[in-house]
């Protein structure tokens, strides 16, 4: 699924990232970074309510390409800047975790485990 | 020539204990070096995850420590060394879900008790030396798959 499609489905605001053709294949939704760190899939994205720098670090370690903050959360500029430096797109959506994940799942994105 | 006679690239990092926002900087730097050197992406990811979880542990459980990383052509060796409280029951600490982290740490996204087991999973060799009141050494080796060793 292209990043463009994810932005549309989640009615998301793009905080950084300009390649809307970026291909995302899997997603992981959690506020616990250690859960995410056990998620090893290629071309993944992270949905989370955690807006501290460790969300970006976690995505970086996993070679993820995109983070979407849920529940309308907006991280500080330092966090967005860290993501920009790492080439990770950052989105924010007003949808809560369950709804955001559900919308993406319905549109065909998978978690790597089914 | 056997690869063990090759001089490794050695990196030393201080991991500050008082600044959670900086946790992960050392792992990020190591990741950058390995990428630049063209290491296998799977090996880089395993190094990154294992070292990052270990770095976080030093910050949240041991008030910081030192990371020493040796990069060989066929493997990466990581020593994480702290002078924190030590681990009373290592077997228990290795169980998935076991955590002594306080709620403040969980609010920061860590403390699910998945760090140590995941670190072990990422590594080809994994050892913990710890003493109560003295500190903890975590020693990890990640081999580059497909390389001769
Ligand atoms: N460097 C360390 N110093 C002291 N205790 C540690 C250290 N690393 C891990 N521990 C102990 O082992 C437990 C399990 O660690 P881990 O699996 O990483 O889970 P978590 O960090 O989420 O609590 C920790 O809760 C802590 O009690
Ligand atoms: Mg941990």
């Amino acid at each position: 699924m292209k990043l463009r499609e994810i932005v549309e489905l989640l009615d998301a605001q793009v905080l950084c990232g300009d390649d809307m053709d970026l291909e995302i294949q899997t997603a992981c939704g959690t506020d616990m970074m250690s859960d995410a760190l056990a998620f090893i899939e290629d071309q993944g994205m992270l949905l989370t309510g955690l807006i501290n720098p460790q969300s970006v670090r976690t995505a970086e370690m996993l070679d993820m390409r995109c983070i979407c903050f849920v529940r309308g959360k907006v991280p500080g500029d330092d966090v967005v800047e860290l993501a920009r430096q790492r080439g990770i797109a950052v989105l924010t959506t007003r949808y809560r975790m369950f709804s955001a994940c559900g919308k993406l799942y319905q549109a065909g994105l998978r978690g790597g485990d089914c | 020539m056997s690869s063990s006679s090759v001089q490794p690239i050695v990196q030393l990092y201080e991991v500050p204990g008082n600044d959670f926002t900086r946790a992960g900087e050392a792992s990020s730097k190591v990741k950058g070096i390995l990428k630049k050197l063209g290491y296998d992406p799977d090996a880089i990811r395993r190094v990154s995850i294992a070292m990052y979880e270990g770095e976080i542990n030093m910050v949240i459980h041991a008030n910081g420590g030192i990371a020493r990383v040796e990069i060989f052509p066929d493997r990466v060796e990581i020593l994480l060394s702290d002078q924190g409280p030590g681990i009373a029951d290592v077997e228990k600490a290795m169980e998935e879900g076991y955590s002594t982290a306080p709620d403040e740490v969980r609010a920061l996204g860590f403390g699910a008790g998945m760090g140590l087991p995941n670190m072990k999973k990422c590594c080809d060799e994994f050892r913990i030396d710890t003493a109560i009141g003295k500190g903890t050494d975590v020693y990890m080796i990640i081999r580059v798959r497909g390389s001769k060793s």
Side-chain angles (χ1 to χ4, degrees):
Chain A
M1 188 181 293
K2 300 245 188 276
L3 184 59
R4 174 181 303 107
E5 204 178 329
I6 290 170
V7 170
E8 273 166 27
L9 284 164
L10 299 180
D11 191 16
Q13 195 183 330
V14 182
L15 303 179
C16 84
D18 34 34
D19 180 10
M20 287 297 132
D21 287 321
L22 195 71
E23 191 64 40
I24 304 288
Q25 290 178 350
T26 53
C28 171
T30 182
D31 286 352
M32 296 305 281
M33 294 303 105
S34 292
D35 280 347
L37 287 159
F39 174 85
I40 304 188
E41 298 292 336
D42 285 330
Q43 298 180 305
M45 77 175 281
L46 175 66
L47 292 104
T48 185
L50 189 82
I51 54 169
N52 69 31
Q54 301 310 331
S55 58
V56 177
R57 290 283 181 218
T58 296
E60 175 190 359
M61 300 308 157
L62 293 166
D63 302 311
M64 284 174 159
R65 301 172 158 201
C66 173
I67 303 176
C68 181
F69 295 106
V70 296
R71 273 176 275 139
K73 292 200 169 188
V74 178
D77 291 343
D78 52 331
V79 173
V80 178
E81 186 50 36
L82 189 63
R84 195 196 314 276
Q85 286 167 12
R86 299 296 184 274
I88 298 169
V90 179
L91 315 179
T92 178
T93 176
R94 65 192 153 84
Y95 292 113
R96 288 188 288 248
M97 182 70 96
F98 181 80
S99 308
C101 292
K103 280 173 184 291
L104 297 179
Y105 192 92
Q106 194 172 33
L109 207 62
R110 289 295 178 261
D113 55 350
C114 66
Chain B
M1 195 171 76
S2 89
S3 60
S4 56
S5 63
V6 174
Q7 287 298 309
I9 299 168
V10 181
Q11 299 285 315
L12 262 179
Y13 302 95
E14 209 190 307
V15 178
N18 52 1
D19 192 353
F20 180 76
T21 60
R22 288 187 55 197
E25 277 183 10
S27 307
S28 176
K29 283 186 184 136
V30 170
K31 179 160 195 155
I33 293 170
L34 294 175
K35 262 188 175 169
K36 206 172 267 174
L37 292 170
Y39 276 69
D40 167 57
D42 167 71
I44 297 179
R45 206 185 286 179
R46 284 184 292 126
V47 167
S48 306
I49 293 169
M51 184 170 167
Y52 180 54
E53 283 280 11
E55 208 183 320
I56 294 279
N57 277 354
M58 288 200 296
V59 174
I60 64 181
H61 302 300
N63 198 32
I66 301 279
R68 184 189 163 88
V69 181
E70 298 193 12
I71 302 170
F72 294 86
D74 65 330
R75 68 188 186 281
V76 179
E77 302 193 8
I78 304 166
L79 173 64
L80 303 170
S81 188
D82 69 58
Q83 302 189 329
I87 304 174
D89 186 341
V90 173
E91 210 174 303
K92 200 151 203 172
M94 290 304 301
E95 284 174 13
E96 290 194 356
Y98 177 82
S99 174
T100 60
D103 286 344
E104 304 95 84
V105 166
R106 256 180 287 281
L108 295 169
F110 285 90
M114 303 296 286
L116 289 175
N118 198 20
M119 286 158 72
K120 186 174 183 191
K121 228 175 270 170
C122 288
C123 295
D124 295 287
E125 283 180 45
F126 181 85
R127 199 179 71 227
I128 297 177
D129 292 330
T130 183
I132 294 297
K134 293 224 170 77
T136 301
D137 285 351
V138 179
Y139 182 64
M140 304 187 278
I141 300 180
I142 290 102
R143 294 189 196 286
V144 181
R145 301 247 158 94
S147 72
K148 294 177 223 98
S149 51

